[in-house]
Every structure is written in structure tokens, then in C-alpha cells.
Amino acid sequence: MKETLLSVGIDIGTSTTQLVLSRLTIQNKANPFSVPRISITQREILYRSAIHFTPLVDERTIDAEGVRAIVEREYEAAGVDRSRIETGAVIITGETARKENAAQVLEALSDFAGDFVVATAGPDLESILAARGAEADRLSEERGASVLNFDVGGGTSNLALYEKGRLKAVTCLDIGGRLVRYGDRIDYVAPVLKGRFPGVEPGAAADRAALEGAVREMAETLAQTAGLLPPTDGLERYATAGAVPPRVFHPDYVTFSGGVADCVREGPEDWRAYGDIGPLLGKAIREFFEAGGGRLRRGRETIRATVVGAGSHSTQLSGSTVFYREIPF
């Protein structure tokens, strides 16, 4: 006998806020005389929201009402009443998870996501959800190989390594496309970059050559984690607080997801298009990783990888119970 659950994933990221609605098909695979063995046998994405810039009151505070309004509008656009949602996850990711009112925002949204919601945030969980949303785990299983997924967002890069379909390691680095924002002049520079690159400081003119110095170092650091370059102190400098410490991997394949992934494949001609360093970072990443012997692959999902993972891969069923398990590394 098969049943279905309507699941939602809501991702409030450094750059963007989005959601997906999925239908999960569950089935008891045990014989009639055994303890139930319930499995999710199919995942179908029913609705993908528009991609919204995450509303902020200031650099330290998320606009909770603004986020709630986005979610309400998307539920209306999908034609779904929130009472129909049975499971899912609300997550705050990247730099946004460090905002002062992150917990209050999660609480404000929890009634939009069903009775069995895990409302959480954290770099290790984000690494897993993004990799599964990008289907790095499936590529690893199909090829019997190791696959390292880089989910490069606005504030962080979340890494997950799969070997023959099984998760082996995660880590996170403070590398992302929104760490420097600008119009004609630079408006914001993230703490990890402040005072380190001449010309990359608030109030300075947005100079491409100066910005390329910063993004080159970040791209080099990512390349080091994939074993393409010898490791430097950049691995420690960009390590995200609270995440599993970064180390050097030697994967058979590398995949990219996250908002910057689209710029890795083919970024906009205008490097100022988004008012941040995303296009320049994507170009620098491509230059380092394309020289890696044909190991580079594009994730099935890019900018939506994390939210797809949250909506379709955050629920586990075991026997006749529902449980959530933290995975130690």
C-alpha cells in the first residue's frame, strides 16, 4: 500500500529566499508478518517558487515579516493551503544563519511547514541537503566513484563528499558571491576579506582588477580542497566557525551547485550584473577547475539545490516511527 505526503522546503539564504513543494510517496516494504519497514519510494517536485532576494532590516537583522510575506505569496501562487502541508523543513543558511534574529524567523515560519518540521540551520546540514538536491550522491552511486559537491552561495561554500553513494565528509568555507557588494562604489565587505586586499573596502570605487585579486584567492582555496593545488593557510582563514574543519579531498568528480554555480558554467557578460562578486568568482572557479582533467560536472540543481534537498530529502522514515538523527563526523 502506498501513501503520499505533501512536503515543503523553505530556504532563507544569504542572497535569496525560495521554496519548493514536493510529493513524497511512502510504502511499507515489509511482509504482513514483520515490523513495518516504511520507505520513501518516490520524490516529485510539484512547485518551484520564484527566487527572491532575502529581505534584511540591516546587516545584522533579517526582515522576518518580509520573509513571511514572501512565503505567503508563494503558497497562494502554488494554490496550496498551508494546512495541507504534512512535512518539510525550514532552514536558514549561509551568512543569514548568523543574523541576530535567525531563531525568531524560523519560529515565525514554522506554521507554514507541517507537523513534522525540522526548523534548523547549520553549515554541515546545508552541505548534505545541497549535495542531495544537486544529486551528487546519485552520480557517485551510479559511477561507483567519489564526488565532491561545492554549493557556492552568497556567503558560504558548503562541501560534501560522497563515495559510491555514501556520505563521507562535509565542510564549509566562508567563500561566496555576496561577500562584496557594490554599485559604483563598494557598499559592503565581509569580515573575512576586510583589510586584506587594496581597493576592496567600503566606499572605494568598484575596481575590477582589485576585486579579481580577492576572488582569485577564494577560487584557489576551493581548488585546494579538491586537491588541484597544494594547500595553503587559506583553508584555515576561510574556515566557517562551527563547521567541520576543511581538509584536502581527491575526488573522482567535482560538481557545483548554488547561485554562483550558474556563473561557473556561463556567467553574465557584465561583471556588475548582480552588484556583487558572484560573476567574477564563478569565472575564477571555472578557470581553476576546468584544468582538472575533465572531472567537472554541473549539479542537476544549481541555485535551488539546497531548497530541493530541504523539501525532498529532509524526511526519513524507519519502521513505524518518524525520527531525526544527527550524523557525527
Side-chain angles (χ1 to χ4, degrees):
M1 179 179 177
K2 296 181 180 180
E3 296 184 16
T4 61
L5 299 174
L6 185 60
S7 174
V8 66
I10 302 172
D11 177 21
I12 306 163
T14 303
S15 302
T16 61
T17 291
Q18 51 188 306
L19 65 84
V20 298
L21 295 170
S22 304
R23 180 186 293 118
L24 307 181
T25 301
I26 61 175
Q27 184 176 4
N28 181 9
K29 291 192 171 184
N31 65 59
F33 304 102
S34 301
V35 174
R37 181 163 57 88
I38 309 298
S39 300
I40 297 175
T41 58
Q42 185 176 358
R43 296 174 171 89
E44 178 187 3
I45 297 177
L46 303 177
Y47 178 77
R48 302 167 188 258
S49 78
I51 297 170
H52 306 269
F53 280 111
T54 298
L56 302 175
V57 175
D58 53 46
E59 293 297 339
R60 302 174 64 181
T61 311
I62 307 166
D63 182 356
E65 288 304 314
V67 171
R68 185 180 178 90
I70 288 172
V71 174
E72 286 181 329
R73 289 197 302 270
E74 290 297 344
Y75 270 45
E76 291 175 3
V80 172
D81 187 280
R82 66 189 186 192
S83 64
R84 291 177 54 201
I85 304 296
E86 296 163 289
T87 187
V90 184
I91 60 173
I92 295 183
T93 57
E95 279 199 316
T96 310
R98 306 173 200 173
K99 303 300 183 185
E100 290 184 346
N101 65 333
Q104 289 84 349
V105 174
L106 286 173
E107 184 178 351
L109 290 178
S110 62
D111 61 337
F112 280 93
D115 294 330
F116 300 105
V117 163
V118 176
T120 187
D124 299 340
L125 175 62
E126 184 182 355
S127 298
I128 298 167
L129 293 178
R132 298 200 69 186
E135 297 194 358
D137 57 333
R138 179 175 293 186
L139 174 64
S140 172
E141 184 175 13
E142 289 175 349
R143 302 209 171 201
S146 60
V147 176
L148 179 61
N149 186 69
F150 291 83
D151 188 70
V152 187
T156 58
S157 293
N158 296 83
L159 284 63
L161 178 71
Y162 280 84
E163 293 183 3
K164 297 182 180 180
R166 297 180 65 85
L167 179 70
K168 291 298 182 180
V170 295
T171 190
C172 185
L173 297 165
D174 286 339
I175 292 174
R178 297 285 285 177
L179 296 187
V180 182
R181 302 195 296 269
Y182 50 80
D184 292 331
R185 295 190 172 274
I186 295 174
D187 302 316
Y188 172 77
V189 178
V192 70
L193 299 177
K194 278 187 176 178
R196 298 193 52 248
F197 299 95
V200 182
E201 56 190 32
D207 178 71
R208 179 169 182 167
L211 295 169
E212 284 180 332
V215 301
R216 182 174 180 81
E217 181 180 275
M218 288 190 281
E220 285 179 341
T221 301
L222 295 180
Q224 290 167 22
T225 65
L228 300 179
L229 295 172
T232 67
D233 59 359
L235 291 180
E236 183 177 347
R237 179 185 304 118
Y238 288 100
T240 299
V244 175
R247 61 183 177 88
V248 176
F249 306 100
H250 295 279
D252 299 314
Y253 298 98
V254 171
T255 57
F256 279 89
S257 59
V260 175
D262 291 322
C263 296
V264 172
R265 186 179 187 185
E266 186 176 358
E269 293 184 8
D270 182 5
W271 62 278
R272 298 174 176 266
Y274 306 134
D276 61 35
I277 57 174
L280 295 178
L281 179 58
K283 180 175 181 293
I285 291 172
R286 182 170 67 250
E287 290 172 354
F288 279 106
F289 280 83
E290 279 188 339
R295 295 188 295 165
L296 182 61
R297 296 289 186 273
R298 185 171 187 263
R300 183 181 180 109
E301 296 284 346
T302 54
I303 194 169
R304 288 188 170 91
T306 302
V307 74
V308 168
S312 299
H313 297 281
S314 60
T315 301
Q316 293 187 8
L317 303 176
S318 176
S320 56
T321 64
V322 176
F323 73 97
Y324 168 73
R325 180 182 64 193
E326 293 185 356
I327 304 175
F329 294 98

